[in-house]
Amino acid sequence: MTPKTPLFEKLALIGIGLIGSSIAHACLRGNLASKIAIATRSPETLGEAERLNLGSSYHLKTEEAVKDADLVIICVPVGAYETIAKTIAPHLKEEAIVSDVGSVKNAVIRQMKPHLPENIHFIPGHPIAGTEYSGPSSGFASLFDDRWTILTPLKDSNEKAVQKLTQFWEGLGSKVDIMDANHHDLVLAITSHLPHLIAYNIVGTADDLEGVTQSEVIKYSASGFRDFTRIAASDPTMWRDIFLHNKDAVLEVLGRFSEDLAYLQRAIRWEEGDKLFELFSRTRSIRRSILEAGQDIDAPDFGRTKQKDD
Ligand code: NAP
């Protein structure tokens, strides 16, 4: 339900790519902030955001955008957080909520917390929603609808501020879970980071494979490869930063993955079809659970065309 009075007087979005612009669209749709200040580092991206009418003011200086903002959301690749925290810290309004959308959480806390003043509320967050596209034009209002957003408040985070941020994300269409940052990083390492690493690797291997031409890879891609290429088309800067900043959790799940892969390798070598069949039946039921939970739709192409067009 659209609130009559906006939840926040002024929202500042630092970074206006896929996620920042989708927040702006959904915030306008839900009337969640009276003003939206947008900051990004390049005049080209800022101009694109302005043409799309995403905010009420546009800034190349982040410190100008956060002035008087009661909610600040950082929406840039996670490798850039420390510089931003240092820049905005002296200009934050007292009692402002400072949050983010970064795909890793411990590294974000490590980079930002030491620089932020005591009189603000720092509550990291991560919407589990996205596409392989980047930039302000790729955003859309329904991106967060029925998807989860994870908030990882610190031990001393103010309960009222956490509630208000929860309300904001619910207003954007999201469902909200609260989690410890360590747990978030482990869960996302298996559900998001490892799948991306596998996709980057398989597409790279196919590209390097002698004896199979690139035109054959493209021509016969609908046999499975195509689905990996979508993930492997994700933004290189963002994903480089994710792997460098969630190193421990990714290496942990990668170790488990390699052991399980060796088990499959052995089952194929020794023609142990029952082992393969047992695993493939188990994994099929996971897919069914995802559909039942409304996190994908049962349409050819995994419903992606539908989701983008919505
Ligand atoms: P994006 O579309 O590539 O946009 C990135 C934004 O960050 C742009 O405004 C860009 O500014 C700015 N930026 C890039 N590098 C920067 C730097 N070194 N210093 C300052 N600003 C910089 O990215 P996105 O997909 O919205 O991702 C933003 C954040 O959301 C990331 O932390 C990512 O982990 C997280 N996230 C992404 C997804 C996803 O599926 N994409 C999902 C959930 C969370 P200019 O264009 O002006 O250079």
Side-chain angles (χ1 to χ4, degrees):
M1 207 171 64
T2 308
K4 284 196 188 81
T5 317
L7 269 176
F8 292 96
E9 191 49 40
K10 181 177 171 185
L11 161 68
L13 293 171
I14 312 303
I16 194 74
L18 168 71
I19 301 296
S21 65
S22 295
I23 293 177
H25 281 297
C27 185
L28 291 166
R29 179 187 70 177
N31 189 31
L32 301 172
S34 304
K35 286 183 267 178
I36 305 177
I38 289 173
T40 192
R41 62 180 177 168
S42 77
E44 293 75 23
T45 303
L46 197 65
E48 201 177 326
E50 196 164 0
R51 277 192 297 283
L52 291 163
N53 222 355
L54 294 174
S56 32
S57 65
Y58 301 87
H59 312 264
L60 286 171
K61 290 195 168 139
T62 42
E63 57 271 36
E64 280 174 10
V66 302
K67 193 169 174 290
D68 298 325
D70 24 36
L71 174 61
V72 176
I73 307 185
I74 316 292
C75 310
V76 304
V78 289
Y81 273 52
E82 185 163 26
T83 312
I84 287 177
K86 281 185 191 164
T87 312
I88 63 172
H91 307 276
L92 292 167
K93 180 179 164 183
E94 204 171 315
E95 297 293 320
I97 296 177
V98 176
S99 189
D100 77 304
V101 294
S103 307
V104 301
K105 296 277 54 95
N106 262 319
V108 161
I109 296 169
R110 269 200 310 274
Q111 288 185 78
M112 292 193 67
K113 179 88 170 87
H115 306 290
L116 297 175
E118 290 291 325
N119 62 6
I120 60 104
H121 306 295
F122 175 43
I123 307 164
H126 177 204
I128 315 299
T131 73
E132 66 277 30
Y133 299 102
S134 308
S137 303
S138 60
F140 51 104
S142 59
L143 179 66
F144 310 112
D145 288 352
D146 299 322
R147 298 282 170 262
W148 286 95
T149 292
I150 299 175
L151 299 181
T152 61
L154 311 191
K155 282 197 177 67
D156 56 355
S157 287
N158 176 289
E159 191 49 44
K160 272 201 172 134
V162 175
Q163 274 171 18
K164 201 162 175 195
L165 189 60
T166 300
Q167 240 183 308
F168 177 78
W169 276 103
E170 287 172 350
L172 297 179
S174 200
K175 301 184 278 190
V176 177
D177 251 352
I178 307 280
M179 209 181 269
D180 162 77
N182 279 321
H183 191 62
H184 167 280
D185 287 356
L186 184 63
V187 171
L188 269 292
I190 187 67
T191 57
S192 169
H193 308 168
L194 188 63
H196 276 79
L197 195 68
I198 293 167
Y200 283 124
N201 191 47
I202 197 167
V203 176
T205 303
D207 193 39
D208 291 340
L209 203 65
E210 291 143 16
V212 178
T213 65
Q214 207 182 46
S215 64
E216 283 172 314
V217 169
I218 293 166
K219 188 169 159 191
Y220 302 121
S221 64
S223 47
F225 184 70
R226 186 182 66 170
D227 293 325
F228 286 103
T229 62
R230 185 189 69 82
I231 299 178
S234 301
D235 187 72
T237 307
M238 168 181 152
W239 282 97
R240 176 203 61 196
D241 284 6
I242 289 173
F243 290 116
L244 296 181
H245 289 87
N246 198 20
K247 188 171 137 180
D248 294 344
V250 169
L251 291 178
E252 190 178 326
V253 294
L254 192 57
R256 280 292 293 268
F257 174 81
S258 307
E259 282 175 28
D260 293 344
L261 193 62
Y263 170 86
L264 288 181
Q265 194 176 10
R266 199 182 148 83
I268 294 169
R269 186 184 308 287
W270 297 105
E271 296 174 11
E272 294 169 327
D274 52 334
K275 287 188 176 164
L276 299 177
F277 189 85
E278 187 276 322
L279 177 70
F280 301 164
S281 307
R282 201 147 49 88
T283 54
R284 203 173 207 195
S285 73
I286 302 232
R287 170 77 191 154
R288 271 197 296 272
S289 310
I290 290 171
L291 295 177
E292 277 160 25
Q295 292 304 301
D296 206 345
I297 58 169
D298 192 11
D301 206 22
F302 295 97
R304 278 181 210 120
T305 319
K306 165 102 175 53
Q307 198 184 10
K308 262 302 299 154
D309 289 345
D310 275 348

